[in-house]
Amino acid sequence: MTHLRCSVSHCGTTLDLHDRALACPQCGNLLEVAIEPPGAEPRVLKQTWLERRMSADPRDVSGVWRFRELLPDSYGPQGVVTLGEGNVPLVRGQKTAAWAGLRNLSFKHLGWNPTGSFKDLGMTAGMTEAKFVGATAVACASTGNTAASLAAYAARAGVTGRVYLPAGQASVNKLAQALDFGAELVEIEGSFDDALNVLLEKADPSLYFLNSINPFRIEGQKTAMFELLEQLGWRVPDYLVVPGGNLGNSSAFGKAFIELKTYGFIEKVPRIIIVQASGANPLARMWTSGAQELEAVAQPETAATAIRIGNPRSWKKALQGVRFTGGRVMDVTDEEIGEAKTLIGRDGIGCEPASATTLAGLRKLVDSGEIDRDAEIVAILTGHALKDTDYIVKSRKR
Ligand SMILES: *Cc1c(COP(=O)(O)O)cnc(C)c1O
């Protein structure tokens, strides 16, 4: 049976799938969902998933629940809290590809989800589980996008949503979304990390906790990789490039590839490259120094507010994926992010600053010769251009 287990494999602790624990009761590390091998052949499931695109079952309309054979799936068609998330296109890079020196670059734009960021993919899974266990109030700490997403899905589920934001640091667009969807807003003096600490210290058992340390969030987010490979006819690209903040998304993608390879859906995996902002780069520092433990950045600073995080909780999970795929971790400056973001805009795509770390990182890796010009690359864009309009207007004046 699908269950929860400690994400550090040598610990071996397992828990019931619907246990509400957020950390391993034995060693304190994060939990993950252990997915059982699916009952059908990969070839058959790939066909089933494709055919569901023509179905009207709410689970099939969702680009997350369409892949339910590799998800916790206790819910039934009426049990899922969905806004038809997922189903976002893969868009080829034009000027961006030339700028980075690449011939085969595509963007998977997860910012084209219902609330404008990839957080919706995790939120449908987390909110569905929250409803299943009978939660009446849900909460998260957020740099903005998780708040917007939680607020929308809480409204759909008919539960109270409460979001903890670093005061004055989230973009006004994201704040407006959370208000529009009727969430309760709590502003915390300090950084995202401080806001998360305040929430975790509350340990209020009546609140269901929906940050990305919630293992169900990771399950929803991993389906972006199933959808990506389906779009590529299950041809595996050479590299997958993803921005790194709290490192939930990169963890989710790593888990997706581990499961797909282990269960025989693919024969090779793309190298995962995580790109952080240089002012909030604890994992990139650890990677470069060869240290065994993550050292938090006390005062994270970057204009890419979605990744202004000094103490990423999911770093161990993220490293598992990077190591499994033979990938790497790196960082880019705010200036490099700004240039890359402009190019993504000029390609007619647009994104929020955090997403542009991907293109900025790629350009550096092509320049240094680490990535071949002909390599097949998919870059993940995490947030919509309208998420941070201040940034755009201010850069014009600069
Ligand atoms: C949340 C977010 C990130 C960072 O994702 P993590 O899972 O925290 O690493 C990057 N970009 C955008 C737009 C986000 O909303």
Side-chain angles (χ1 to χ4, degrees):
M1 281 245 292
T2 295
H3 58 276
L4 294 178
R5 69 175 168 219
C6 181
S7 61
V8 174
S9 58
H10 58 76
C11 172
T13 301
T14 63
L15 295 170
D16 180 81
L17 180 64
H18 305 295
D19 191 301
R20 289 170 59 163
L22 289 172
C24 173
Q26 296 304 320
C27 71
N29 279 292
L30 296 184
L31 297 169
E32 67 180 12
V33 177
I35 299 288
E36 291 297 310
E41 289 288 310
R43 180 179 49 81
V44 174
L45 274 181
K46 287 174 185 176
Q47 190 59 31
T48 303
W49 292 340
L50 204 56
E51 284 166 6
R52 283 181 183 156
R53 283 179 171 267
M54 289 179 289
S55 153
D57 181 319
R59 293 172 303 172
D60 296 344
V61 174
S62 164
V64 170
W65 297 104
R66 196 155 62 84
F67 300 101
R68 55 191 172 273
E69 284 77 6
L70 291 180
L71 294 176
D73 180 29
S74 323
Y75 314 110
Q78 302 314 317
V80 296
V81 182
T82 175
L83 286 161
E85 54 290 319
N87 303 314
V88 300
L90 192 60
V91 188
R92 272 194 85 83
Q94 297 173 353
K95 293 181 183 116
T96 45
W99 183 76
L102 288 165
R103 296 199 180 91
N104 198 349
L105 169 66
S106 300
F107 295 99
K108 177 114 177 120
H109 207 324
L110 302 182
W112 293 350
N113 262 294
T115 75
S117 83
F118 73 78
K119 300 302 196 296
D120 296 338
L121 302 176
M123 206 52 76
T124 183
M127 198 68 73
T128 294
E129 173 67 11
K131 200 174 138 187
F132 185 83
V133 299
T136 54
V138 296
C140 70
S142 174
T143 61
N145 282 336
T146 305
S149 185
L150 176 143
Y153 283 83
R156 295 301 297 178
V159 303
T160 302
R162 188 176 308 151
V163 301
Y164 291 72
L165 296 167
Q169 290 187 30
S171 92
V172 69
N173 315 55
K174 298 175 186 179
L175 210 75
Q177 283 184 293
L179 292 172
D180 194 35
F181 299 129
E184 295 171 11
L185 220 86
V186 185
E187 291 197 292
I188 302 290
E189 286 307 323
S191 66
F192 164 84
D193 304 285
D194 298 320
L196 186 54
N197 286 335
V198 167
L199 179 55
L200 286 173
E201 278 159 18
K202 280 205 168 1
D204 179 344
S206 73
L207 276 183
Y208 187 86
F209 192 79
L210 276 171
N211 273 94
S212 59
I213 64 175
N214 180 313
F216 292 87
R217 286 266 315 273
I218 302 299
E219 291 305 299
Q221 285 168 212
K222 85 184 179 189
T223 62
M225 296 303 101
F226 304 164
E227 188 181 283
L228 167 66
L229 290 175
E230 184 179 72
Q231 284 166 319
L232 293 171
W234 294 92
R235 189 182 72 252
V236 177
D238 299 309
Y239 295 92
L240 183 90
V241 192
V242 57
N246 214 16
L247 300 171
N249 216 23
S250 32
S251 299
F253 297 167
K255 188 169 191 280
F257 293 127
I258 292 169
E259 288 170 358
L260 290 174
K261 177 104 189 314
T262 307
Y263 296 148
F265 287 78
I266 49 177
E267 283 176 359
K268 61 166 201 157
V269 291
R271 296 177 191 270
I272 295 179
I273 300 177
I274 300 176
V275 192
Q276 296 196 299
S278 57
N281 64 350
L283 194 69
R285 284 189 198 194
M286 184 187 163
W287 186 262
T288 310
S289 72
Q292 293 301 305
E293 291 287 320
L294 184 104
E295 202 178 311
V297 170
Q299 305 282 345
E301 195 42 70
T302 166
T305 53
I307 52 174
R308 190 192 278 167
I309 294 172
N311 187 19
R313 303 291 170 138
S314 294
W315 67 270
K316 285 182 189 166
K317 287 186 178 182
L319 275 184
Q320 280 173 13
V322 170
R323 294 199 172 119
F324 183 82
T325 64
R328 64 165 293 168
V329 188
M330 65 184 296
D331 61 5
V332 293
T333 65
D334 273 19
E335 196 179 347
E336 290 164 334
I337 292 172
E339 280 180 56
K341 181 174 150 47
T342 301
L343 263 292
I344 295 169
R346 296 301 186 274
D347 250 355
I349 299 171
C351 66
E352 71 166 280
S355 310
T357 53
T358 53
L359 181 65
L362 279 168
R363 179 158 142 126
K364 284 173 88 166
L365 295 177
V366 175
D367 275 353
S368 70
E370 187 170 330
I371 287 188
D372 189 88
R373 294 179 176 283
D374 290 312
E376 181 169 359
I377 317 259
V378 175
I380 300 297
L381 300 180
T382 44
H384 195 282
L386 292 177
K387 281 289 194 176
D388 192 348
T389 45
D390 258 10
Y391 179 97
I392 304 173
V393 176
K394 280 186 193 143
S395 12
R396 192 187 65 169
K397 289 189 196 134
R398 264 185 220 132

